Amino acid sequence: MTNNILLNILLLAPLTSALLIFLLNISRRYTKQTLYTLLALSGSGLSAMIALYISYTSYFEQKLFVSNLFTWLNIGDFTIEVTLKADALSSFMLLFVAPVSFLIHIYATGYMDKDKSYGRFFTYFNLFIFFMFLLVLADNPIIMFVGWEGVGLISYLLIGFYFDDIQNTYAGNKAFIVNRVGDFGFLSALMLLFVEIGHGGFSYDAIFFNLSLIDTPMLSLIALLLFVGAMGKSAQLPLFVWLPDAMAGPTPVSALIHAATMVTAGIYMVARFAPLYNIASDVSLFIAYIGGLSALFAAIVATRQYDIKKILAYSTISQLGFMFMALGVGAYSTALFHMFTHAFFKGLLFMGAGAIIVAFGHKQDIRELRGIRRSVPTIFIMMLIGSLTISAIPPLSAFFSKDAIMGILYASDHLDLFFIALLSSLFTVFYMFRMIFVLFFSENTTEPSKNSVKSMNYPMAILTLLSVFAGMLNLPEIFGGNLMMSSWLDLADKHFVFSHANEIFLMSVNTILICFILYYAYKRYAYKDTILKESTTGLVANKFYIDALYQLIIVKPLYALSFFFDRKISHDLIDTSINSMALNYKKLGKLFAFFENGNVRFYALYMLIGLVLGFIYLFLLLKAML
Amino acid sequence: MLKAYMILSIILFSIGVIGLISRRNIIVIYMSIELLLNAVNLSLIAISGDIGNASGHVMSLMIIAIAASEAALFMSLFVVLFRKKGSLDANIFDILGNKDD
Amino acid sequence: MENEIVFSVLAVVAVVSAIVMISAHRPIDSALSFIVTLISVAALFGLVNATFLFVVQIIIYAGAILTLILFIIMFLNIKDENLPEEKYKNRWLLVTSILILPFSVILINLILGSDIAVNSVINENLGTIKDVGLTLFSQWILPFELVSILLLVALVGSVTLSKRKD
């Protein structure tokens, strides 16, 4: 029974602050906003510091933190322990989840300033960190599932945060329902795992130890179902539809939950089950193709979006697709590295978008926000750096992570995947700089309605620095690095032979192409009104009609079915039958009430009938005796 | 002779029961009750004479006394009820029942 | 033999007048035919030497109770519209007769089939005032006293009921 106090504090600090904020929020109507801020920041800040310490010791001393909290279930031989375990992978997740959460907390104090639901927001936000830590630190898939559902719940609550507008609630419902599909897959996979090897314990170690006991088709099925879960959570085709709508929530939510942390839970899960996916290679390939399609699809759709947050949302889907491609070919640590850098630059981009939205009175359409470079110069610089990073310009961090993915794809002999990735990457550059050029390079000027808030700028500055330098953590050999992160994580990576000459060639070609696209985007959008002339019809502008398709083949029939069950089954059949039953009982009661009419003569009649019947009985008895 | 008396007693008793149940006029109902008592008296006296014991006569006497007191009560009841309801219908005295419907 | 004839006549009169009593529409008709029944029953008492009971029946029933009934009927001044409608009177009578039929038939059947003694003990004094009085005041003294209390209670009760103003 090991019990590491640091891990417990790490997990419980956000939960405690969430509880305190919640209690304050429901008990006292006019609590000072400062008090909420203090509580929220202390909870997330404490856990961020501990997380950094844990990752530090895990990296340099290979120390394993384990904390056995309590036994949750104990049924016969089957036990579920609530155990927190910070191995290399979990520590790595903590390394970016906790600091990014903390930074976005600081940012949110500025973004949510003077909001009437300030306390409620930070209750959810801190609770989210708790569930995310639970997901990451869980020692067995069941506890991970608890965290998984928890972050899904918080995501739902925060998407529909401004529930005054029914559209936000619909978006929250959509996210929740689409995630249910994924969770169904995850849960089914867990059940199958339990049926197959549940007797040997259910911690990750036990599961991976017993993997050989499962026959191949079943293993593939489990792997596939697990991936369905990841698909829902990480918004991959075909379960991506909720993520663009999820942008209805406040921007810090989009930054933290729908860009940096929660949506990467799918990546984390697949990486966590790396030994499983190494055996189920067909499923892995399927994952790679789904990732590739998502990456390309989302990148194409993003080129015709106008909502600044939706562009970023599609960009997130696209980047997650990149990660899944890497996961699919077995380069788990490469995928995780991209997730790591992605958390920083996507968080930064979202925060920049949020800052712009706040500064310009909650406008989100880039056509209405043109030429704002002079108004918000700091945001411009940081957004530009973020966009350059996501476009993989050397030597920014995403250059290393994305090129690593491309290199792996090339080396793994999946050239089709490689070209998909290349194309998506170029589209990424295009849509990002379309946004940048429209927003910042235009003769038109839009005046800000509000000065930028300092508490929003500092975390953005830190994230900018991180986006620039995070690539150093996993420098490839050709730049004199030694892939320290990959060796730290020590995952069951597949290794591909890949000559340095090829690598340099690929990088150069890639960079040249990116620069070319950048120039094209500049020509097309900077200081021009091209954006206003784009037609809003056509396949791309309508997101390939995927939403309409879902509406047609899933939502409409479901509505019809629900309507049928409501009207016909529930109302006509069940209600009517129950009502008629009650009515018949009433009639039956009336029938007997007719006999009990209160008239003594009738009672005498009944007595007479009883008397006569008794007499007949006695007489028959007497006859029988004689 | 005894059997004939008994049979007559049964017949009178049955007629009394029929009147008691089928009629709605409370005066007729009262007289039916008296008829029942008379039928019983008849069989008591017949049996008493048959076994040579005067106890049956005494019982009849008591029954007649009870009938007399009953008559007194019934008469005052008639007066009260008729004043109250203005009718001699037994069916309107049905406060035992539930009058919701 | 004479006794049998007399009995038959009296029995028929009693039964017929009883039937008239329960089926007459007006209470006054019922009361008058009930007097006939009571007198025939009194005569039947006399037929089995119950002379005292014969007298009591005539005096109390026919004399007192029935007079009281007639008096009440006249006192209340019951008009035809005060009488209950009794639309289904005949139907009710028929149904109850059918219902009571098994009861009477079984009892009559049993009595006819039984072997109870006929005039086993002959006691000339039976039913005279002296005989009944001796039995009453020797064996039945307590019930006799109780009956006197009952009569008192009935007296008080009827007075209170009639005097109530509401």
Side-chain angles (χ1 to χ4, degrees), chain A residues 7-19 43-44 47 69-70 82 84 94 97 101 105 122-138 143-144 146-148 150-151 154 256:
Chain A
L7 267 184
N8 294 351
I9 295 173
L10 171 74
L11 186 71
L12 295 180
L15 179 66
T16 316
S17 63
L19 273 179
S44 56
S47 53
L69 287 179
F70 57 92
V82 179
L84 307 176
L94 288 181
V97 167
S101 303
H105 259 78
F122 279 103
T123 309
Y124 294 159
F125 231 42
N126 274 2
L127 206 56
F128 170 78
I129 304 183
F130 164 73
F131 280 123
M132 195 66 207
F133 284 159
L134 196 63
L135 195 164
V136 168
L137 290 173
I143 304 302
M144 180 186 175
V146 174
W148 182 275
V151 291
I154 303 294
L256 177 62

Side-chain angles (χ1 to χ4, degrees), chain A residues 136-423:
Chain A
V136 168
L137 290 173
D139 183 41
N140 64 52
I142 306 242
I143 304 302
M144 180 186 175
F145 188 69
V146 174
W148 182 275
E149 289 297 317
V151 291
L153 169 72
I154 303 294
S155 158
Y156 160 75
L157 290 171
L158 283 172
I159 293 169
F161 185 72
Y162 296 121
F163 50 77
D164 305 346
D165 185 357
I166 191 75
Q167 289 305 325
N168 293 347
T169 313
Y170 285 154
N173 285 349
K174 192 173 180 181
F176 204 70
I177 291 165
V178 174
N179 267 305
R180 289 278 75 67
V181 180
D183 293 344
F184 167 74
F186 192 179
L187 206 55
S188 318
L190 288 189
M191 286 175 197
L192 286 177
L193 267 181
F194 172 72
V195 169
E196 292 287 325
I197 51 171
H199 52 84
F202 223 58
S203 70
Y204 291 125
D205 294 339
I207 288 173
F208 298 146
F209 184 75
N210 288 329
L211 269 187
S212 52
L213 300 178
I214 311 176
D215 53 358
T216 321
M218 183 53 93
L219 202 67
S220 299
L221 183 63
I222 292 171
L224 187 66
L225 287 171
L226 275 177
F227 177 59
V228 169
M231 220 186 243
K233 205 48 117 196
S234 295
Q236 294 299 293
L237 278 177
L239 298 181
F240 71 97
V241 286
W242 63 273
L243 191 58
D245 285 12
M247 295 301 130
T251 312
V253 175
S254 313
L256 177 62
I257 300 182
H258 304 125
T261 51
M262 186 193 83
V263 288
T264 59
I267 316 283
Y268 166 73
M269 194 250 274
V270 175
R272 179 54 90 183
F273 283 95
L276 180 78
Y277 283 101
N278 271 341
I279 304 174
S281 51
D282 299 346
V283 180
S284 292
L285 206 59
F286 174 70
I287 293 176
Y289 278 104
I290 286 286
L293 284 176
S294 303
L296 188 60
F297 166 82
I300 293 173
V301 170
T303 59
R304 291 297 283 278
Q305 291 295 310
Y306 300 103
D307 186 324
I308 181 167
K309 284 176 78 179
K310 287 212 168 152
I311 295 174
L312 293 176
Y314 279 107
S315 156
T316 304
I317 299 174
S318 175
Q319 298 302 313
L320 290 166
F322 273 99
M323 298 171 212
F324 275 113
M325 275 194 269
L327 289 176
V329 295
Y332 301 102
S333 54
T334 315
L336 288 172
F337 182 50
H338 191 55
M339 173 169 82
F340 181 69
T341 56
H342 175 255
F344 298 132
F345 64 72
K346 191 49 68 61
L348 168 66
L349 285 168
F350 264 114
M351 284 153 96
I356 292 172
I357 291 168
V358 168
F360 293 92
H362 290 272
K363 278 186 210 158
Q364 299 195 1
D365 195 319
I366 54 172
R367 288 170 295 192
E368 297 172 8
L369 287 169
R370 299 170 64 202
I372 56 173
R373 184 174 41 171
R374 282 191 195 81
S375 319
V376 282
T378 42
I379 295 176
F380 162 64
I381 292 168
M382 292 189 270
M383 286 283 278
L384 185 65
I385 293 174
S387 302
L388 288 172
T389 313
I390 194 176
S391 308
I393 304 285
L396 302 171
S397 60
F399 166 71
F400 299 107
S401 56
K402 210 187 250 180
D403 262 356
I405 291 176
M406 309 263 254
I408 293 277
L409 290 177
Y410 182 77
S412 66
D413 289 336
H414 292 296
L415 275 182
D416 43 354
L417 281 176
F418 169 75
F419 281 114
I420 289 175
L422 186 62
L423 210 55

